[in-house]
Amino acid sequence: RMCMLEGLTWKLLVLFFFVLAAVHGQIRYSIPEEMNKGSVVGNIVQDLGLDVKRMKSGRARIFTEDSREYIGLNVDKGTLVVRERMDREELCAQVTPCSLHFQIILENPMEMHRVDVEILDINDHAPVFARKEINIDIGESAVPGVRFSLDNARDPDVGLNALQRYTLNPTDHFTLKELSRSDGTKYVEMVLQTPLDREQHEEHKLILTAFDGGSPQKSGTVRITVVVIDANDNHPVFSQPVYRVSFPENAQKGTTVVIVSANDNDKGANGEVTYSFPQNTGIEAIDIFIINSESGEIKLNGVLDYEKSKQYELNVEARDIGGLTDTMVIEVTDMNDNAPVINLISFSQAIPENSAPETVIAMLNVKDLDSGKNGQVKCSIARDAPFKIKSTSTNFFSVVTDQLLDREKVSEYNITITATDEGSPSLFTSKILNIKISDVNDNAPVFQRQSYTAYVTENNTPGVSIFAVTASDKDSGNNARISYFLEDVLVNGVSASTYISVHAESGEILAVRSFDYEQTKEFNIRVKAQDGGNPPLSSNVSVKIIIQDQNDNAPQVLYPVQTGGSVVAEMVPRSADVGYLVSKVVAVDVDSGQNAWLSYKLQKATDRALFEVGAQNGEIRTVRQVTDKDAVKQKLTVVVEDNGQPSRSATVNINVAVADSFPEVLSEFTDFTHIKDYNDNLTFYLVLALAVVSFLFIVSTIAILSVKCYRWRRERMFYKSGANLPVIPYYPPLYADVGGTGTLQHVYNYEVCRTTDSRKSDLKYARPSSESIISLDTSGTQTLTHAHRGNLTSDSEDKSSNTEPTHVLAKTI
């Protein structure tokens, strides 16, 4: 260690050695501590401007007031040297700077020069704890935030070489809190972060490490063993969180300073509280104060000196098995023992938010029983609050608003008014005023969105809930009570109320009727939200109601048209190639989306190997070459199905004639079912015809008699009048009487259009088309080709727009 210190000494000599110029006969040197004996401190001859001869002739010597002489004078060389190794901590303890003061005396003539040698600190001490291990008992019911005093580490060094920081490991349950006293010394407390459970860990091993700031850094450690005590679930609680006592400096020894009191709700030994100063209490405080471990009474045990210490800060520990540490501050004052008193003269607890600035809220009277500066009082208020204090007269103050208020931002203020005297140290009193901001209806309801879109499936039940709109109002009370109304707008030319209703309180939108997508796909309404203020404020929002389609319509087959009175067949020649277009099924679905996506498939067929149906387009084509073996009469059943869930479908029957000539077709299509239906109903029609003929006979007989009687009367009137007028017979146009046979030789063409329900008509009409369509009369009277039908029907197409076109039959009369 001596070798290390010697090497360090020379390095420090290079780093720290310097000389301050002599001012008025005074020289100052700085040297590091622990220098070896004989080390040169400085060249005093050169620094004083003397020579060695003068030193010898003047019998230069050193005079010091202390009994020990650490610095010696080498007269032969004129230098100051170290006579005895110096320990700064031994010489000056914590006092900085640490200096040696001595005089150099010369005679003939007599001279005296003052020399100051500052002893610089080196980091030659590591932080040291008084104990190697600390045992702490903590009840498992201790709540987080409980603090535990720990030993201070002591480092005699000063400045950066002194104690700088602490660390605690591990930190699963505890953290470290570093505190500083008024004199700058640091101490630590261990704070419980998470609850302890003795059943999981009965002991916790911790390491507390103290570090100084030297280079290289030094440290010291102490082991902490925390023993978790079971069942003590209440810890002592002081009656006050902080005790502040003003105490005169001339108080006598044995005077009671304060009595601290802590209560523990536990019973028996767990409820017994003892008081003590923790280990980290400063030595000076322990020497001056003493505490009664049972009563908590703190007495003066020494002499207070205001010039040495103006304030003492004591930690008082009230301990049961769990333990609790609290802080008490003892201030040594020069008799400023009265704090200001705040009296509330007038106070408005609630003010409206639209109050103008400078509105008076409270009036205060503040007084201090002290005199002079100790009795002069100033009032202040927190700057972040929109209030300020104005002095109206001596000791009278008023609290006024400093800016506009907004209840929606801050509805309540707890402002702290502090009255402080000008004593040294000053005393203060605080008073908290709770100010409530009353609401004014200055905010309209606001919807969460600018517009809404709601969906409802068609065929809904009337009264079903479709959607709910919600608005918020920043005001309170009735000013924030929102009612919802449906604005009277037109939807498809009628009032929106015939479609929709709105619940006044909840904003729920209800369907008044059942919707049909095929009639109405969407419509817009407006909902108004109105608060209960006076006057009320409101806002509105647009809601688009979209009707969603259901698969409630089956496909409708437009072609081929299904009739019951005739047979329509598509003709396929036997020479048709593969892929020959036989016909096309055309269908529509009034639904939308996938509910209207149609697919076609062949359900039944006389020969399934001959035809196929396009799944998407409904085209019926041949799959293979038509042969002579294929039957002339082919019947196909095609199913048209939509893509809804569940799907709906329609079927259509198509007759296909595989033949090259009409006679071949006629021979195969003479046994269709409508002939049988006609014969089955023949009896009914015969009876009906007999009744009609009888009725017409009676009517005709009466009509003939009436006409005869009428003509007889006119002839009598004619004869009576004496007139002789010729009688000219009348013949209708195109009428000719030929040989009295009663037979008309003119040909008349009649166009007859029948409706779909006229299933028993024997007059047929069909439009010409590009496909080979054969129209067969069930009586087998006549067959027409496309050319014949075109000539017969060209003049009558415009007259048949409101009827279903079927077939045409021309008769000669």
Side-chain angles (χ1 to χ4, degrees):
R1 186 172 183 272
M2 293 295 293
C3 293
M4 292 176 63
L5 289 176
E6 186 174 355
L8 182 62
T9 300
W10 287 107
K11 292 179 180 179
L12 291 174
L13 281 173
V14 176
L15 295 173
F16 296 103
F17 181 78
F18 64 94
V19 179
L20 300 177
V23 180
H24 299 293
Q26 180 176 349
I27 299 175
R28 183 177 182 87
Y29 297 97
S30 296
I31 61 173
E33 63 173 326
E34 302 291 348
M35 290 184 66
N36 294 329
K37 291 182 180 181
S39 300
V40 177
V41 176
N43 192 329
I44 192 66
V45 174
Q46 181 180 349
D47 296 335
L48 290 177
L50 304 175
D51 55 21
V52 177
K53 293 181 180 181
R54 171 64 180 136
M55 297 289 288
K56 291 181 179 181
S57 63
R59 292 182 295 177
R61 66 183 185 277
I62 290 177
F63 173 76
T64 178
E65 297 178 358
D66 298 333
S67 59
R68 297 177 64 178
E69 190 172 316
Y70 294 95
I71 305 298
L73 178 63
N74 188 333
V75 179
D76 295 333
K77 296 182 179 181
T79 58
L80 296 176
V81 296
V82 176
R83 293 187 58 186
E84 186 175 347
R85 186 185 297 270
M86 290 171 286
D87 186 353
R88 193 206 64 80
E89 289 73 30
E90 180 182 351
L91 291 174
C92 301
Q94 298 296 312
V95 177
T96 57
C98 180
S99 301
L100 296 176
H101 309 287
F102 58 88
Q103 290 80 27
I104 295 179
I105 308 298
L106 295 174
E107 298 180 356
N108 299 320
M110 181 174 292
E111 296 181 31
M112 183 176 70
H113 300 277
R114 178 181 175 88
V115 179
D116 293 336
V117 178
E118 181 180 0
I119 311 301
L120 301 177
D121 182 50
I122 62 175
N123 192 22
D124 55 344
H125 294 86
V128 178
F129 289 93
R131 293 185 291 177
K132 296 297 181 183
E133 185 171 354
I134 300 174
N135 295 320
I136 299 176
D137 296 338
I138 303 177
E140 64 175 336
S141 60
V143 297
V146 177
R147 300 175 295 174
F148 303 93
S149 299
L150 301 178
D151 291 359
N152 284 346
R154 300 190 180 277
D155 191 335
D157 295 326
V158 295
L160 290 176
N161 297 328
L163 180 65
Q164 298 296 325
R165 62 187 180 90
Y166 294 88
T167 62
L168 181 67
N169 286 304
T171 58
D172 296 339
H173 294 280
F174 300 93
T175 58
L176 206 61
K177 184 177 183 181
E178 293 191 20
L179 302 171
S180 298
R181 296 190 180 89
S182 58
D183 58 0
T185 60
K186 296 182 178 181
Y187 66 95
V188 291
E189 292 180 343
M190 185 174 67
V191 181
L192 180 64
Q193 287 291 102
T194 58
L196 303 175
D197 190 348
R198 188 193 64 82
E199 286 70 29
Q200 293 183 0
H201 297 285
E202 191 169 356
E203 287 187 354
H204 297 270
K205 300 291 185 180
L206 308 173
I207 299 296
L208 177 64
T209 306
F211 296 92
D212 62 19
S215 180
Q217 190 178 57
K218 295 185 178 182
S219 62
T221 60
V222 61
R223 295 187 300 274
I224 300 174
T225 301
V226 177
V227 179
V228 182
I229 306 301
D230 187 35
N232 184 25
D233 55 353
N234 289 283
H235 60 277
V237 178
F238 281 101
S239 60
Q240 299 180 24
V242 177
Y243 291 82
R244 291 186 178 273
V245 179
S246 296
F247 209 68
E249 60 177 336
N250 58 353
Q252 299 295 321
K253 182 178 180 180
T255 303
T256 298
V257 179
V258 68
I259 299 177
V260 297
S261 175
N263 296 323
D264 193 323
N265 293 331
D266 293 326
K267 295 181 179 180
N270 292 333
E272 295 177 1
V273 180
T274 59
Y275 305 91
S276 62
F277 293 136
Q279 295 290 332
N280 60 9
T281 305
I283 297 177
E284 293 182 359
I286 293 177
D287 294 337
I288 296 176
F289 301 97
I290 188 172
I291 188 170
N292 188 312
S293 62
E294 295 181 0
S295 64
E297 183 180 11
I298 300 176
K299 292 184 178 182
L300 190 63
N301 194 38
V303 178
L304 297 177
D305 189 353
Y306 182 81
E307 283 68 30
K308 287 185 177 181
S309 181
K310 299 178 177 59
Q311 179 174 313
Y312 293 90
E313 184 173 310
L314 298 177
N315 289 338
V316 180
E317 187 176 78
R319 175 179 290 274
D320 64 356
I321 297 177
L324 177 70
T325 301
D326 209 341
T327 301
M328 182 191 68
V329 178
I330 298 179
E331 297 178 350
V332 180
T333 65
D334 57 351
M335 305 306 291
N336 183 25
D337 55 352
N338 291 285
V341 178
I342 300 176
N343 294 317
L344 191 61
I345 300 176
S346 178
F347 176 52
S348 299
Q349 288 187 337
I351 58 173
E353 61 178 323
N354 59 350
S355 298
E358 301 293 330
T359 300
V360 178
I361 299 172
M363 296 187 66
L364 310 172
N365 172 253
V366 183
K367 60 182 179 180
D368 193 320
L369 297 178
D370 295 323
S371 59
K373 287 188 175 182
N374 294 336
Q376 296 178 3
V377 180
K378 293 181 178 179
C379 278
S380 62
I381 195 172
R383 294 183 179 179
D384 57 347
F387 306 99
K388 64 180 179 181
I389 287 186
K390 298 177 64 176
S391 177
T392 56
S393 60
T394 304
N395 296 334
F396 286 90
F397 302 88
S398 61
V399 180
V400 299
T401 57
D402 191 31
Q403 53 187 272
L404 293 176
L405 305 175
D406 189 350
R407 189 206 65 83
E408 285 70 38
K409 291 183 178 179
V410 181
S411 61
E412 184 176 353
Y413 291 92
N414 287 317
I415 59 173
T416 302
I417 299 174
T418 304
T420 308
D421 62 24
E422 295 186 6
S424 181
S426 62
L427 300 178
F428 68 90
T429 299
S430 297
K431 191 175 188 66
I432 298 177
L433 298 181
N434 179 262
I435 301 174
K436 291 181 173 59
I437 310 302
S438 60
D439 185 48
V440 175
N441 191 26
D442 55 350
N443 290 279
V446 177
F447 285 95
Q448 295 177 351
R449 297 175 59 183
Q450 293 182 351
S451 64
Y452 295 91
T453 300
Y455 299 87
V456 59
T457 305
E458 67 171 330
N459 303 320
N460 59 286
T461 304
V464 69
S465 175
I466 299 177
F467 192 65
V469 294
T470 303
S472 60
D473 196 317
K474 294 181 180 180
D475 296 321
S476 64
N478 284 336
N479 295 332
R481 182 173 55 82
I482 299 176
S483 300
Y484 300 90
F485 304 95
L486 178 65
E487 291 193 354
D488 191 13
V489 296
L490 294 180
V491 176
N492 296 332
V494 297
S495 176
S497 60
T498 62
Y499 287 82
I500 293 297
S501 67
V502 177
H503 194 279
E505 295 182 359
S506 65
E508 187 176 16
I509 300 176
L510 305 174
V512 176
R513 62 167 65 174
S514 179
F515 297 108
D516 187 354
Y517 174 82
E518 285 70 37
Q519 294 183 1
T520 304
K521 293 180 173 54
E522 66 179 44
F523 58 90
N524 292 305
I525 63 171
R526 296 191 68 83
V527 178
K528 181 173 72 172
Q530 179 175 295
D531 61 27
N534 187 17
L537 300 177
S538 64
S539 62
N540 53 38
V541 68
S542 176
V543 182
K544 177 185 285 187
I545 308 295
I546 297 178
I547 313 301
Q548 293 180 321
D549 183 45
Q550 273 190 335
N551 192 25
D552 56 346
N553 291 281
Q556 297 178 1
V557 178
L558 301 181
Y559 183 83
V561 178
Q562 298 297 289
T563 62
S566 65
V567 177
V568 178
E570 305 287 350
M571 185 173 176
V572 178
R574 293 187 180 275
S575 60
D577 293 331
V578 176
Y580 178 82
L581 179 60
V582 178
S583 182
K584 182 175 181 179
V585 178
V586 179
V588 295
D589 194 321
V590 296
D591 292 323
S592 66
Q594 67 177 8
N595 295 330
W597 297 350
L598 302 181
S599 60
Y600 304 83
K601 64 182 178 179
L602 187 60
Q603 185 181 42
K604 295 179 182 180
T606 304
D607 188 352
R608 298 186 67 90
L610 182 57
F611 302 101
E612 68 175 359
V613 178
Q616 303 299 326
N617 55 22
E619 292 180 351
I620 303 175
R621 294 180 181 270
T622 57
V623 180
R624 58 175 175 80
Q625 186 75 36
V626 180
T627 64
D628 294 338
K629 295 180 180 181
D630 292 325
V632 175
K633 183 173 64 175
Q634 300 281 341
K635 184 174 183 180
L636 307 179
T637 302
V638 177
V639 176
V640 184
E641 187 176 30
D642 62 25
N643 198 36
Q645 293 294 333
S647 63
R648 293 175 178 266
S649 61
T651 60
V652 58
N653 295 320
I654 302 172
N655 297 302
V656 179
V658 181
D660 292 327
S661 63
F662 292 140
E664 184 181 358
V665 174
L666 291 175
S667 64
E668 293 293 335
F669 284 81
T670 56
D671 57 345
F672 277 85
T673 58
H674 74 278
I675 298 176
K676 183 178 181 300
D677 294 336
Y678 179 79
N679 294 332
D680 291 340
N681 296 325
L682 182 57
T683 303
F684 171 76
Y685 289 119
L686 290 175
V687 175
L688 180 61
L690 181 60
V692 172
V693 169
S694 299
F695 175 75
L696 291 177
F697 175 76
I698 297 172
V699 173
S700 300
T701 303
I702 296 173
I704 291 172
L705 293 175
S706 299
V707 170
K708 290 293 185 179
C709 185
Y710 174 73
R711 285 181 177 179
W712 179 76
R713 291 184 63 184
R714 288 195 62 181
E715 289 176 357
R716 288 185 61 82
M717 291 176 65
F718 178 78
Y719 289 126
K720 288 180 180 181
S721 63
N724 188 13
L725 297 177
V727 178
I728 301 174
Y730 172 76
Y731 299 97
L734 301 180
Y735 181 87
D737 187 4
V738 182
T741 59
T743 302
L744 295 176
Q745 298 301 317
H746 299 274
V747 177
Y748 291 87
N749 293 333
Y750 294 93
E751 288 182 352
V752 179
C753 294
R754 70 180 181 85
T755 61
T756 305
D757 294 330
S758 303
R759 297 179 181 265
K760 306 305 177 187
S761 174
D762 60 348
L763 299 180
K764 311 289 191 270
Y765 165 78
R767 291 181 180 273
S769 66
S770 61
E771 299 177 2
S772 298
I773 303 176
I774 299 174
S775 178
L776 300 179
D777 184 20
T778 56
S779 62
T781 57
Q782 192 172 356
T783 302
L784 299 178
T785 63
H786 286 302
H788 292 149
R789 289 194 300 271
N791 294 330
L792 292 173
T793 62
S794 60
D795 296 332
S796 59
E797 289 181 351
D798 295 335
K799 301 177 181 180
S800 59
S801 59
N802 295 326
T803 63
E804 179 185 342
T806 56
H807 310 292
V808 170
L809 178 62
K811 290 186 177 181
T812 301
I813 303 176

